[in-house]
């Protein structure tokens, strides 16, 4: 189970930050991949990035957000977070945290957070 | 990046009939293809993975087929709760990508 938290309104040029709390698994699992995906009418479903542990931590980001995005795992709280800086109205979307195993498909999904970028 | 194209964009079908949704990949994704259902205001729900395997709790009226670049989701005997948007998703390569969706509406 994944439970998201974070603000629903962010001002342009500021940083969008969301957190995903994991229950029933460990963020340090050697078979888990922890993802962020967003959905907007203009861009559809868009995978943004992932973090995973395979003897060490790895992160990987979509080209479209690579220069602005960071995903941080937190082993002490069993959470992972998304930070997207220098946001614009085009970053307005529903953001999801999502689990995928080594097998690859996305399931389960967090409940989603509508983030609006507006002054 | 692998581009996923779904057709049609909107499909109108009567309850009780069959719906056939298509998904095409810009390059082979092998059998690494999933389908999701999304209703308004809800999270995408996994229906099918590995082309044809139904996820837990998914009724047998949902079936998937195909391989390589051409895939189909078939829904037999449409129920009222099946009218939603359906997305295909490839997990053969990073970045993972989705189709733009097919809206299944009541005729």
């Amino acid at each position: 189970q994944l439970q998201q938290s974070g603000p629903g309104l962010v001002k342009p040029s500021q940083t969008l930050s969301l957190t995903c709390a994991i229950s029933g698994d460990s963020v340090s699992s050697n078979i888990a991949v922890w993802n962020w995906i967003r959905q907007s009418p203009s861009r559809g479903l868009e995978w943004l990035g992932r973090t995973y542990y395979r003897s060490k931590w790895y992160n990987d980001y979509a080209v479209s957000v690579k220069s602005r995005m960071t995903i941080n795992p937190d082993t002490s709280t069993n959470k992972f977070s998304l930070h997207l800086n220098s946001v614009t109205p085009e970053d307005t979307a529903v953001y999801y945290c999502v689990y995928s195993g080594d097998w690859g498909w996305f399931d389960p999904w967090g409940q989603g957070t509508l983030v609006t970028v507006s002054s | 990046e692998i581009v996923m194209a779904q057709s049609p964009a909107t499909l109108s079908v009567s309850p009780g009939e069959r719906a056939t949704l298509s998904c095409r990949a810009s390059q082979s994704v092998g059998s690494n293809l999933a389908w999701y259902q999304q209703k308004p205001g809800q999270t995408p729900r996994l229906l099918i993975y590995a082309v044809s395997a139904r996820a837990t709790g998914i009724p047998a009226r949902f079936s998937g087929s195909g391989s390589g670049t051409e895939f189909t989701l078939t829904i037999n005997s449409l129920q009222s709760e099946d009218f939603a948007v359906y997305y295909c998703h490839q997990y053969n390569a990073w970045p993972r990508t989705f189709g733009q969706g097919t809206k299944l509406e009541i005729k």
Side-chain angles (χ1 to χ4, degrees), chain A residues 62-99:
Chain A
V63 170
S64 60
V65 295
K66 188 170 186 175
S67 63
R68 301 191 290 130
M69 185 165 169
T70 305
I71 298 177
N72 293 320
D74 186 338
T75 57
S76 64
T77 60
N78 206 32
K79 297 177 180 178
F80 64 106
S81 61
L82 158 69
H83 302 280
L84 183 65
N85 61 38
S86 304
V87 297
T88 72
E90 288 196 355
D91 294 310
T92 294
V94 177
Y95 287 76
Y96 296 98
C97 60
V98 191
Y99 171 91

Side-chain angles (χ1 to χ4, degrees), chain B residues 93-104:
Chain B
W94 295 94
R96 304 303 199 219
T97 50
F98 296 85
Q100 79 281 16
T102 290
K103 182 180 181 180
L104 180 58

Side-chain angles (χ1 to χ4, degrees), chain A residues 33 35 37 39 45 47 50 60 96 103-107 109-112, chain B residues 32 34 36 38 42-44 46 49-50 87 89 91 94-96 98-99:
Chain A
V33 179
N35 303 270
I37 291 171
Q39 184 175 30
L45 285 162
W47 173 82
R50 59 175 172 160
D60 187 21
Y96 296 98
W103 44 90
W105 58 87
F106 293 125
D107 184 60
W109 298 55
Q111 81 274 23
Chain B
N32 298 313
Y36 300 84
Q38 188 176 33
Q42 296 187 15
T43 296
L46 177 68
Y49 60 91
Y87 296 95
H89 158 233
Y91 53 93
W94 295 94
R96 304 303 199 219
F98 296 85

Side-chain angles (χ1 to χ4, degrees), chain B residues 39-94:
Chain B
K39 297 179 181 179
Q42 296 187 15
T43 296
R45 174 194 183 195
L46 177 68
L47 294 177
I48 300 282
Y49 60 91
V51 177
S52 59
R54 283 188 301 276
T56 302
I58 302 304
R61 64 180 182 272
F62 291 89
S63 63
S65 62
S67 66
T69 62
E70 301 282 344
F71 303 92
T72 300
L73 175 68
T74 302
I75 312 170
N76 289 307
S77 302
L78 277 164
Q79 307 294 304
S80 58
E81 62 266 28
D82 299 335
F83 293 94
V85 179
Y86 292 83
Y87 296 95
C88 61
H89 158 233
Q90 69 79 20
Y91 53 93
N92 191 62
W94 295 94

